Amino acid sequence: MDVVEVWNGHYACALQAALRMTNEAFAERLGIAPRTVAVWHANPDVVLRRETQQLLDTVHEAVSPAVRKRFVLILKSDQAAVGTGGSSVQMLRVAVAVVVREDQVLLVCRRDDGSSGITWQFPAGVIKPGVQPATAAVRETLSETGVRCAVVRDLGTRLHPVTAVQCEYFLCEYLAGEATNSDVAENEDVMWVPKTSVTRFIPTSNIYPPILDALEEPYDSADRR
């Protein structure tokens, strides 16, 4: 394959494998966040943004003949695996923080690589090997928004209906910090919104039902659990 007409998650991850790079190293080479690379692994059919297509074209054109050959062999191997029921894609696990401050909840506006464009969601981060999901939720919230929070309780786990990512949800209480967009490469905006207005930002069908139940609780009830 000398030319990739349209880069999707599958092709991008195959190039990463051919370069024998970790998610972090591949993301650094492309100038994007490691979380984006992890999302490609979980969503191999996603068509990437035009800017990302150009970045991948540049990297692909600059690789050595040996890497280019590995890239083609990996794609052929993946096609054979599909035919035998195999898969080279691992399940992506994400920790989601539902951070409550009195009658408000914290949301981030994500720059999405898919066709859906910019979307609002709760702060979330990939759960790396050896890291507890609750710890990942707290760390990612601080990294993305500058807000310090603490887990109140586990809200449950599900396979997200849109992204097909395994999500682990945590109700969190606000501790300190001003909400700021600390990850401009991944997020468009960060803001506190009234708990009663969440469905204006995120479709009800995409919200895990226990989250809606938790947001209906009085603030003191959630804070003291």
Side-chain angles (χ1 to χ4, degrees):
M1 178 179 290
D2 294 327
V3 176
V4 178
E5 293 184 0
V6 178
W7 287 95
N8 59 15
H10 176 69
Y11 288 152
C13 293
L15 180 59
Q16 175 193 355
L19 287 164
R20 295 175 177 165
M21 287 183 166
T22 63
N23 285 7
E24 290 75 14
F26 191 48
E28 183 177 358
R29 180 155 181 173
L30 290 169
I32 60 177
R35 184 195 312 106
T36 301
V37 178
V39 170
W40 296 345
H41 282 275
N43 299 275
D45 293 329
V46 65
V47 176
L48 311 187
R49 289 187 301 175
R50 180 167 53 185
E51 296 85 351
T52 309
Q53 300 264 346
Q54 293 171 347
L55 291 172
L56 287 162
D57 282 341
T58 299
V59 171
H60 180 248
E61 291 167 2
V63 299
S64 67
V67 171
R68 192 180 297 272
K69 182 177 181 179
R70 278 200 299 271
F71 176 60
V72 174
L73 290 175
I74 288 169
L75 290 178
K76 289 182 178 179
S77 176
D78 286 346
Q79 290 173 355
V82 170
T84 58
S87 176
S88 62
V89 179
Q90 298 181 346
M91 174 65 71
L92 178 71
R93 296 171 63 227
V94 170
V96 182
V98 183
V99 185
V100 172
R101 184 184 68 176
E102 298 184 351
D103 63 344
Q104 298 178 312
V105 64
L106 186 64
L107 296 182
V108 298
C109 189
R110 191 80 71 198
R111 298 180 189 272
D112 195 340
D113 275 328
S115 59
S116 57
I118 298 172
T119 57
W120 287 95
Q121 63 184 59
F122 303 102
V126 175
I127 304 172
K128 297 182 179 179
V131 177
Q132 291 297 318
T135 300
V138 170
R139 287 180 179 175
E140 189 64 24
T141 299
L142 178 61
S143 174
E144 284 191 328
T145 71
V147 168
R148 296 183 181 276
C149 65
V151 171
V152 175
R153 70 176 188 272
D154 188 334
L155 293 174
T157 303
R158 71 162 177 175
L159 200 65
H160 196 281
V162 175
T163 64
V165 171
Q166 182 177 331
C167 297
E168 301 194 26
Y169 298 89
F170 298 91
L171 179 64
C172 302
E173 62 177 326
Y174 167 81
L175 296 179
E178 294 293 329
T180 57
N181 184 9
S182 303
D183 189 353
V184 295
E186 289 295 303
N187 299 328
E188 177 73 11
D189 199 3
V190 173
M191 66 185 297
W192 292 99
V193 304
K195 293 192 290 185
T196 56
S197 299
V198 169
T199 54
R200 292 175 51 192
F201 295 85
I202 307 174
T204 304
S205 59
N206 290 350
I207 302 177
Y208 187 43
I211 294 177
L212 295 174
D213 294 339
L215 294 180
E216 290 179 356
E217 298 174 355
Y219 172 70
D220 288 343
S221 173
D223 187 48
R224 295 174 183 173
R225 286 180 182 269

